[in-house]
Amino acid sequence: MSRTARVERITKETKVLVEIDLDGTGRAEIGTGVGFYDHMLHQIARHGGFDLTVRTVGDLEIDAHHTMEDTALALGAAFDQALGDKAGIRRYGSATVPMDEVLVRAAVDLSGRPYVVHDEPALAPYIGPVYPTSMTRHIWESFGQAARITLHVDVLRAARPGGHPDAHHVVEAQFKAVSRALREATAIDPRAAGAIPSTKGAL
């Protein structure tokens, strides 16, 4: 069974195309116009083991908000579409990822019920010229809503002796942890024999 999806989202503010193969090899072609965001979406492909294409044209002359939000919404919708009825999947996944001084835990339930909990320390306002760190929470909220999943992301440790948290490390560790959790949750469970992993019979 092919677990692929193609989602196009077009508004007056953005034009987004997302293509995904959940059973890929980590290949990625990413272009949003926001360099650090592109780098983070590459993490989802590589560490999730998904083939991922993302092409976004947005109103970056205003700011990065619409571009990042609408890309996250389209990505979530693509995950939801590619999962189909979710028969035979593991459903739950979690990962704890270190990145130098940072430690992040992510847990996901492909529940069909959108709910996102996100906890991170105060960070520098920008990574690179156009990635506002305040958007990371909104990315997870938008992605979780469109994917119809429960997602918890917790930064367990971020302090550097004598300095503020490194925003690059804090955000990148989050994307890597979520990617690893999604990899586990979307994987086919050989013991499930194609059953939907819920006593309700639907997700």
Side-chain angles (χ1 to χ4, degrees), residues 140-200:
W140 297 134
E141 290 171 341
S142 299
F143 173 75
Q145 181 74 29
R148 300 189 307 120
I149 65 174
T150 296
L151 174 64
H152 289 242
V153 184
D154 296 293
V155 179
L156 303 177
R157 186 173 301 117
R160 291 187 300 172
H164 296 292
D166 184 317
H168 187 128
H169 286 176
V170 170
V171 175
E172 184 167 342
Q174 289 178 53
F175 274 84
K176 288 179 175 177
V178 171
S179 303
R180 285 285 172 175
L182 286 169
R183 182 179 189 139
E184 181 179 346
T186 59
I188 299 298
D189 185 352
R191 299 175 61 187
I196 292 173
S198 171
T199 54
K200 296 181 179 69

Side-chain angles (χ1 to χ4, degrees), residues 20-105:
I20 193 166
D21 182 349
L22 299 181
D23 301 307
T25 59
R27 177 193 60 80
E29 297 179 15
I30 311 291
T32 67
V34 181
F36 184 75
Y37 195 29
D38 291 355
H39 182 45
M40 295 302 97
L41 295 175
H42 272 95
Q43 305 305 319
I44 290 179
R46 174 59 60 190
H47 294 283
F50 313 121
D51 287 347
L52 180 63
T53 298
V54 177
R55 299 191 187 101
T56 303
V57 178
D59 53 358
L60 292 176
E61 71 279 4
I62 296 175
D63 66 12
H65 186 109
H66 299 143
T67 294
M68 296 168 71
E69 175 184 51
D70 288 0
T71 299
L73 287 167
L75 181 61
F79 264 91
D80 186 43
Q81 186 182 121
L83 283 166
D85 66 2
K86 304 176 184 175
I89 63 168
R90 293 187 182 275
R91 175 178 170 177
Y92 295 99
S94 63
T96 303
V97 169
M99 188 169 182
D100 296 350
E101 77 285 1
V102 175
L103 186 65
V104 173
R105 177 180 61 213

